[in-house]
Amino acid sequence: MILCAGESLIDMVPENGTFRPLAGGAVYNTTVALGRLGEDVAYLWPISRDSFGEMLLAPLNEAGINIDLCPRTDRLTTLALVTLDQGEAVYSFYDEGSAGRMLSPDDIPALPDHITAIFAGGISLVPDPCGAAIERLIEQNHTKLPVFLDPNIRPFFIQDAPAFRARLNRIIPQCDIVKLSSDDLAWLYPDLDAPEAAQKVLQMGPRIVLQTGGSAGSHAHWAGETVTAPAIRTTVADTIGAGDTFNAGVLASLRRQGVLGKEALAGISGEQIKAALTLGAQAAAVTVSRAGANPPWQHEMPGN
């Protein structure tokens, strides 16, 4: 069972002069996408007992997600208020003292034996105490479980860039797979082009660094020759949740191929990586073809 650990929140999206609440959060989206793809998946993140918490629970339950590791709390759900400035989305976060923000390192449990891999990342890595909690989760388990990290860097959310860079410098060497968008790589290494930046990250210790670029497709940097998979052509409604769904497709493919394990990843082939990138692209294409973070169910995937 794959454990996803990281933020869930409510996006307050402008609609007809008011705001429409939508369940979201990068790690939450990947969790739901994995469940819809038919994977065994568990979620670790505090969920409020408020009405927004109930809104977050519904898609998790519908997708068959195990929420045994989700503590319930009376603290409020994080809200992300989205406004538009000349067509560009601008976010304001209502996060102080929220259910997720206050997850502490002492709240991280010993993981049950049925957990076989960890996916983590998102803005949950940035503030404390929750950032320290996710760091603790990885630190305690990376020697026995494969870790897939997607930092999903959002510069507007980072108040202390040196501290966040230091956290990534501690976490990335403990990870097996790190996924970074072109924008992420530009933030990490502004003086390098994306492939050079990805190689820098690879030198920190991961077995695979995935570089994504939307319509430009994806690239996997590893011990062999760089593996590339094109984006799937489709009519784009919006790109919300595309990268999160890509992550789910990659994880699902690796698990189905039997290479989502510490030893198995050490012997992975270029063909197996290509298959994972391809499933990720196929899943993401469905998500971008419809409004919002609405990842595909397995029966909606090509070949089903």
Side-chain angles (χ1 to χ4, degrees), residues 5 22-23 32 43 55 57 76 101 155 160-161 165 168 180 191 230 235 256 264 296 302:
L22 297 174
V32 172
Y43 188 45
M55 185 181 296
L57 281 176
L76 299 178
R101 174 72 171 270
D160 187 341
R165 289 179 182 276
L168 291 180
L180 296 157
D191 297 329
T235 300
R256 294 169 188 177

Side-chain angles (χ1 to χ4, degrees), residues 4-302:
C4 297
E7 80 275 0
S8 55
L9 50 82
I10 298 294
D11 285 317
M12 302 296 288
V13 180
E15 183 177 276
N16 299 324
T18 183
F19 290 93
R20 179 186 177 194
L22 297 174
V27 178
Y28 176 88
N29 292 337
T30 296
T31 307
V32 172
L34 275 167
R36 289 186 178 186
L37 290 174
E39 295 299 310
D40 287 332
V41 57
Y43 188 45
L44 192 166
W45 195 248
I47 296 179
S48 176
R49 295 188 182 93
D50 65 14
S51 58
F52 288 131
E54 295 302 318
M55 185 181 296
L56 290 167
L57 281 176
L60 295 173
N61 290 330
E62 185 183 23
I65 309 300
N66 183 305
I67 56 172
D68 291 348
L69 295 177
C70 292
R72 300 302 301 275
T73 173
D74 290 329
R75 294 184 181 276
L76 299 178
T77 299
T78 297
L79 302 182
L81 190 68
V82 184
T83 55
L84 298 178
D85 181 8
Q86 298 181 344
E88 292 294 320
V90 179
Y91 293 84
S92 300
F93 283 85
Y94 294 78
D95 191 42
E96 292 296 329
S98 68
R101 174 72 171 270
M102 300 312 294
L103 180 72
S104 77
D106 290 340
D107 295 325
I108 298 300
L111 299 185
D113 291 341
H114 60 256
I115 300 299
T116 56
I118 294 172
F119 172 81
I123 61 172
S124 54
L125 293 173
V126 179
D128 286 326
C130 65
I134 298 301
E135 186 172 353
R136 173 77 61 85
L137 171 72
I138 293 171
E139 180 182 8
Q140 288 180 341
N141 295 282
H142 77 277
T143 59
K144 58 182 182 291
L145 298 176
V147 178
F148 185 137
L149 181 78
D150 178 4
N152 197 30
I153 298 169
R154 294 292 180 261
F156 61 81
F157 192 74
I158 300 168
Q159 301 297 315
D160 187 341
F164 183 57
R165 289 179 182 276
R167 173 161 287 153
L168 291 180
N169 286 338
R170 293 191 298 271
I171 292 177
I172 286 174
Q174 301 175 19
C175 297
D176 300 271
I177 304 171
V178 177
K179 179 279 197 93
L180 296 157
S181 69
S182 297
D183 288 342
D184 294 338
L185 289 165
W187 187 86
L188 287 170
Y189 297 101
D191 297 329
L192 300 178
D193 64 23
E196 291 174 326
Q199 286 294 329
K200 281 281 191 182
V201 177
L202 187 67
Q203 291 167 13
M204 295 173 70
R207 291 196 178 276
I208 304 171
V209 173
L210 304 180
Q211 170 199 338
T212 59
S215 61
S218 59
H219 309 273
H221 304 267
W222 64 306
E225 292 188 9
T226 300
V227 179
T228 299
I232 306 298
R233 291 184 176 273
T234 188
T235 300
V236 177
D238 63 50
T239 60
I240 299 172
D244 310 326
T245 306
F246 173 85
N247 293 337
V250 169
L251 281 163
S253 177
L254 294 175
R255 202 281 310 163
R256 294 169 188 177
Q257 295 183 80
V259 290
L260 189 58
K262 297 292 286 189
E263 293 183 5
L265 281 169
I268 197 169
S269 68
E271 291 77 13
Q272 289 169 322
I273 295 173
K274 174 91 169 191
L277 297 181
T278 300
L279 189 65
Q282 291 172 338
V286 177
T287 297
V288 302
S289 72
R290 49 203 193 191
N294 185 9
W297 295 85
Q298 181 58 30
H299 70 266
E300 298 176 300
M301 292 292 289

